[in-house]
Amino acid sequence: MTASCIDKGQSLSEGWTLTLTEPDAYLTPVDIPIDAEEMTAPVPGTVAQALETLGKFDRFQPEPLNNLDAWYRLTLVSGEIGPAILRFEGLATIAEIFLNGALVAHSTSMFEALDVAFELTGADELAICFRALAPRLEKTGPRARWRPQMMNSQGLRLIRTTALGHMPGWCPEIHAIGPWRPISLIRDNKRAFEILSFQSQLNEDGTGLLHISVRSKSAVIELECTGVWVPLQAAADNTFKGELRLENIEPWYPATHGKPALYDVNLRVDGQTQLAARTGFRRIEIDYGADKKGFGLKINGEPVFCRGAVWTNADIVRLPGDRADYEPWLRLAAEAGMNMIRIGGTMTYETPEFFAMCDELGLMVWQDMMLANFDYPAKDEAFLAHIEQEISQLLAKTAHSPSLTVLCGGSEMYQQGAMLGLSEQFWKGPLTEEILPTHVRRLRPDIAYVPNSPFGGALPFVPNEKVGHYYGVGAYCRPLEDARRADVRFAGECLAFANVPHQRTLDKYLPAKPVHDPKWRARVPRDRGASWDFEDVRDHYLKLLYDVDPVILRREDVDRYLDFSRATIAEVMEATFAEWRRVGSNCQGALVWTLQDLLPGPGWGVIDSTGQPKSAFYGLKRAFRPLQINLLDEGTNGLDIHLINETPENVDAVMEIACLRDGLQPVVSGRRSISLPARAKQAIAATDLFGAFFDTTYAYRFGPPSHDVTVAKLLDAQTGELLADAFHFPRGRQAALHRASLETILTQTENGRWILHVTTDRFAHSVQIDADGFRPADDGFHLSPGAGRHVELIPFGSAKTEIPRGEIRMLGNAQLFRF
């Protein structure tokens, strides 16, 4: 094995070798034959990652890895000897740890960190054996009262590991094996301090409070934030405790509603100042609504409409945890106007770096426990011990993060039992109703607790009470009006579709024709055992919205079929969230399933696995605007204009509305200056701007329809800048597919940003921009005649010094417009 020289406190990331053997073939590393094949292995990392680097594993056609033992070995060479600690932050999953050939520790949970104390001799042999999981999944435990169809092994309920890789149709069968989180060597005598507990809070009077407990052998420790210092008081066992009070502290808000203000917290130990944490101050309340059937969040006393998506993973092979891995995804989420990310119970826990990024970006985090669908052995003491360790470590590592907003007991456990006809006494129990909330109250009393997602109501999965998983619009192929009819209160997940990626992603990673090619079909998500998949769902709405037969369109013009598919999803996203955010809606939040794909293709993600936004991303970006205008069809009551201002400032604006015939000629129009109060919304009848009756929704049908599209705009009163726009199609979207002609002007600003100005001679439906080396800040948008749209072209890769070149297309005109 390769030797690795280490310094005090250095991460053990170099010099590891990996050997794969048959299950249980060798009891100790000494037994492994000298000529056994070894390969270099990254740590932190996974077996799949090591093999993929060597060209021995294909994530697109993965071979099972959980039927082998994986031996990681390292020689520790150090210039010092004496007591030390090996810290293993995550081992997936059944792991045996050997030092100098002797078994010294055993880990059976992927989700727990483990410290192993030992005497460093200066030349030590460290080995970790990850035992094959497949045979252990066959073992039986306490009898389960229900069996989830989506999992390929019921044994997962007994082992603390991720469901990723074990859900056919949901994700590739890539198994999590190996030291997926860092391993480090800690010399106890070199640590200046250890934070035992940390809590920040915001009082109603605007005062911020910091509570901290520190272990140190020092004589004096002081605590500082915003220039205010206080000494910590000595207690027993080298422990220091204290409280710091900060008057009129600027609170942390999700970015949609204010500034995510953060502060450095420092400790001065023996005269040396060191950064202890970076934190924010905020207050969380659960808002159950006037009828006590709702679920929402108030941040610092302000109601927040939560919107975002469910996180999957930054890379299904590597399972990474560094800031650089998280940053591209989370910055895109923030760009889209999301303010919440949910880490679902079928995924993995992420590292403190994830939460630090969310702190900075103003993204709230809804964190599920890694419990999903199964009837877990909640009476088993060993299982409960794992859960206690799991939640304790999770909440301790994220104690300083204001972004952690909700801790949830898991995903669809209640739903599974209830859907199988079992009564509440079987699927609701002390694990999620008593044990977990007790830990939350003890460790993070500042966050909200939810027993399960979904929960509440006559049945836990109905969306009109507490938290639901809403797929009425989506998998159940209900009309768009169902988003209002269902009276959704909070959708922990919703709107899952087979979202088609940008064409450049398909050309590079999946050059296959939709439906016909088995490679394409393999990337389409589906529920195990269902007779339909999520491409069928998307096709249903394509036909509903555009009155086009998707089967014929796909057969005759596959490229146009993909363009219609992309437009369909964006339209559904915008229409659904317009309903949920309207005046009078009981909905207080909704999270789309999912943020990103795990492989390139038509997956659930609104961002593809290469990091490129899909049409759904842009639809959500428009739907999530904090300053928003929406048009809602109220039938014979006419068309209502809904205005939203979630920002902390009043906004002076101008709203305009026009009903266009042939996408060009205004039949009727109106304009009004308006002041939008901070954090408020209002509804105005469109006819109020016209000054007389006009059949905007074509509900009365007095003669032929006079217009095919209504355009509403919200403009900045001072600059005339477009803040938001909205569209309504009284005769359906097909009638508004005009053969428009586009003109473009490309300019570069003083700071080097490229701006594409696009104008049209008549209404253009779903304008799509394709620029080599660049992605547009908005895409798939509707464009009305007039001032046009300024769209920034954002470079990626090496395109920063190049002049953008590309083409524009739309649904109403097959012609390509080049720039």
Side-chain angles (χ1 to χ4, degrees), residues 264-336:
D264 288 344
V265 178
N266 294 300
L267 288 172
R268 188 151 58 203
V269 183
D270 292 336
Q272 298 293 319
T273 300
Q274 299 186 50
L275 180 66
R278 198 162 188 239
T279 195
F281 299 85
R282 52 95 183 100
R283 186 175 67 260
I284 297 172
E285 303 165 73
I286 297 179
D287 180 8
Y288 293 110
D291 61 2
K292 306 302 179 184
K293 293 183 178 181
F295 179 88
L297 296 176
K298 288 184 176 180
I299 306 298
N300 310 324
E302 298 292 343
V304 172
F305 184 90
C306 302
R307 69 283 203 152
V310 179
W311 175 266
T312 52
N313 200 274
D315 188 292
I316 186 62
V317 169
R318 297 187 295 118
L319 303 181
D322 292 337
R323 179 187 176 97
D325 297 297
Y326 295 134
E327 188 165 2
W329 305 106
L330 294 177
R331 288 202 180 278
L332 282 173
E335 179 189 322

Side-chain angles (χ1 to χ4, degrees), residues 401-424:
S401 288
S403 59
L404 180 56
T405 306
V406 177
L407 194 287
C408 177
S411 172
E412 295 191 350
M413 294 144 64
Y414 289 8
Q415 174 175 303
Q416 285 285 325
M419 279 192 162
L420 291 173
L422 298 175
S423 63
E424 183 179 289

Side-chain angles (χ1 to χ4, degrees), residues 571-609:
E571 291 287 280
V572 170
M573 297 285 183
E574 291 189 73
T576 303
F577 274 95
E579 286 289 354
W580 288 341
R581 295 183 71 192
R582 77 184 194 282
V583 174
S585 170
N586 287 318
C587 184
Q588 295 173 283
L591 308 175
V592 172
W593 183 270
T594 61
L595 180 67
Q596 71 271 69
D597 287 338
L598 297 173
L599 292 177
W604 283 312
V606 302
I607 307 170
D608 73 36
S609 65

Side-chain angles (χ1 to χ4, degrees), residues 708-761:
D708 47 61
V709 60
T710 299
V711 181
K713 295 181 180 180
L714 189 66
L715 307 171
D716 184 276
Q718 300 298 320
T719 66
E721 176 190 358
L722 179 68
L723 302 175
D725 53 8
F727 304 86
H728 177 255
F729 307 97
R731 300 166 54 199
R733 288 166 176 80
Q734 179 63 235
L737 298 183
H738 299 293
R739 190 175 176 81
S741 181
L742 303 179
E743 292 187 2
T744 62
I745 299 175
L746 182 66
T747 60
Q748 190 174 27
T749 64
E750 291 182 358
N751 59 6
R753 296 164 58 208
W754 289 102
I755 306 296
L756 184 67
H757 183 221
V758 187
T759 56
T760 180
D761 63 341

Side-chain angles (χ1 to χ4, degrees), residues 350-369:
E350 301 300 343
T351 66
E353 282 77 8
F354 179 94
F355 291 87
M357 277 296 306
C358 291
D359 294 341
E360 295 172 24
L361 295 171
L363 290 167
M364 299 178 288
V365 179
W366 172 306
Q367 173 70 68
D368 281 10
M369 294 294 293

Side-chain angles (χ1 to χ4, degrees), residues 150-375:
M150 62 181 280
M151 307 291 185
N152 64 5
S153 173
Q154 300 304 309
L156 284 170
R157 63 188 278 267
L158 304 176
I159 298 176
R160 298 305 299 142
T161 193
T162 179
L164 290 173
H166 301 276
M167 299 178 288
W170 279 44
C171 66
E173 295 188 54
I174 298 172
H175 302 130
I177 304 166
W180 71 300
R181 291 291 181 246
I183 301 173
S184 55
L185 181 73
I186 301 171
R187 300 300 300 271
D188 188 61
N189 60 350
K190 299 299 181 181
R191 290 183 292 179
F193 63 87
E194 179 182 4
I195 296 177
L196 302 177
S197 66
F198 184 100
Q199 183 184 343
S200 62
Q201 68 183 70
L202 181 71
N203 293 337
E204 291 188 22
D205 63 1
T207 301
L209 289 178
L210 276 177
H211 303 271
I212 195 167
S213 174
V214 178
R215 179 182 291 127
S216 177
K217 296 179 181 179
S218 302
V220 178
I221 299 182
E222 297 170 277
L223 173 67
E224 181 271 340
C225 185
T226 68
V228 180
W229 288 90
V230 296
L232 300 186
Q233 302 301 311
D237 302 324
N238 297 319
T239 300
F240 294 79
K241 297 181 179 180
E243 175 183 292
L244 178 58
R245 185 180 182 90
L246 302 166
E247 303 291 342
N248 299 314
I249 195 76
E250 184 178 6
W252 184 94
Y253 276 101
T256 52
H257 286 67
K259 179 182 176 182
L262 295 172
Y263 302 89
D264 288 344
V265 178
N266 294 300
L267 288 172
R268 188 151 58 203
V269 183
D270 292 336
Q272 298 293 319
T273 300
Q274 299 186 50
L275 180 66
R278 198 162 188 239
T279 195
F281 299 85
R282 52 95 183 100
R283 186 175 67 260
I284 297 172
E285 303 165 73
I286 297 179
D287 180 8
Y288 293 110
D291 61 2
K292 306 302 179 184
K293 293 183 178 181
F295 179 88
L297 296 176
K298 288 184 176 180
I299 306 298
N300 310 324
E302 298 292 343
V304 172
F305 184 90
C306 302
R307 69 283 203 152
V310 179
W311 175 266
T312 52
N313 200 274
D315 188 292
I316 186 62
V317 169
R318 297 187 295 118
L319 303 181
D322 292 337
R323 179 187 176 97
D325 297 297
Y326 295 134
E327 188 165 2
W329 305 106
L330 294 177
R331 288 202 180 278
L332 282 173
E335 179 189 322
M338 298 183 186
N339 62 22
M340 177 172 276
I341 298 293
R342 176 182 165 217
I343 303 176
T346 53
M347 312 304 175
T348 66
Y349 297 113
E350 301 300 343
T351 66
E353 282 77 8
F354 179 94
F355 291 87
M357 277 296 306
C358 291
D359 294 341
E360 295 172 24
L361 295 171
L363 290 167
M364 299 178 288
V365 179
W366 172 306
Q367 173 70 68
D368 281 10
M369 294 294 293
M370 292 303 122
L371 300 166
N373 299 81
F374 286 113
D375 177 24

